[in-house]
Amino acid sequence: MSLVLDIVCLLLLVGGFAVGWSRSPLSSGLTLFSAAVALTGAFFLSVPAGSWVSETLVAPLVEQSAANELADMVSAPHLSSGRETVAELPLSDMARQNAAPFARLVGRYGADEAEVLSAADDGSLAVLLAITSGISLAISRSAVFLVIFLLLMLLVRMLCRRLVEQNLPPPSRKSRWRKLVSALLGALTGLVLVYTLSAALGMFLPYAPADSLVFPRSLMEQTDLCRYLNLLNPFHG
């Protein structure tokens, strides 16, 4: 899987270079500008938007999935929601005793065991939220980050085309050095796309041990380009 990610990154870089070679430096520069603006906007907007998506859409699904898994481990029935299911289970007692079902659930959802244990005094629901809140937020922010990035990039690129490119005459001739400059700008755009991908995947790192349910930490650590770019990820602190 890590090799697949490296191949995807390489294709983005080579593809950006190839597309840039076929365009003018102005067009490639505006595309790079659009990608940079979209990346910046996505970082800022995805935090509040991702939190809202997590609370309203993702968290209830993750909570129900975790609660149902726990219910299956202890042969308990599934109820209409994860919170109702957990309310009927002694999850807080299992946390204090470090019971096998509790430990397995913590590992699968990449939760911080110390934080989960500290929530045991507040009851089973608090333990469930401590287990699932991190990965719910990571899923939401990652998805929202990518969606906002793509929408902003398309919007800014359309505005650049309408306000700038359409009002300027085409270049008189396409010399080789112009093509090279345009190709390098395209490769930089590809690098921005690679960084966007690594940032989205890197949001899972704080919640992703080797056997994480959603995104194993080993995938990012074994992916050379994503691993190094993710050192600059503001969400991975």
Side-chain angles (χ1 to χ4, degrees), residues 184-198:
L184 291 177
L185 291 173
L188 287 176
T189 302
L191 185 62
V192 173
L193 295 178
V194 170
Y195 176 72
T196 302
L197 175 63
S198 71

Side-chain angles (χ1 to χ4, degrees), residues 1 9-10 15 38 45 51 55 68-69 77 86 95 97 99 107 110 121 134 147 162 170 180 194 214 218 225 229 233:
M1 181 65 180
C9 294
L10 183 61
L45 296 177
S51 298
E55 293 174 3
N68 289 346
E69 286 186 49
V86 166
Q97 299 167 6
D121 293 336
V147 170
R162 175 165 296 186
L180 181 59
V194 170
V214 179
S218 58
L225 188 55
L229 286 175
N233 181 2

Side-chain angles (χ1 to χ4, degrees), residues 80-128:
S80 58
S81 71
R83 299 190 179 191
E84 291 181 5
T85 300
V86 166
E88 303 297 323
L89 300 174
L91 182 54
S92 58
D93 294 334
M94 295 169 63
R96 295 188 190 93
Q97 299 167 6
N98 198 24
F102 161 78
R104 199 180 314 165
L105 199 65
V106 169
R108 284 177 61 78
Y109 285 83
D112 186 291
E113 187 171 353
E115 292 183 5
V116 176
L117 289 175
S118 66
D121 293 336
D122 297 325
S124 295
L125 177 57
V127 175
L128 176 67

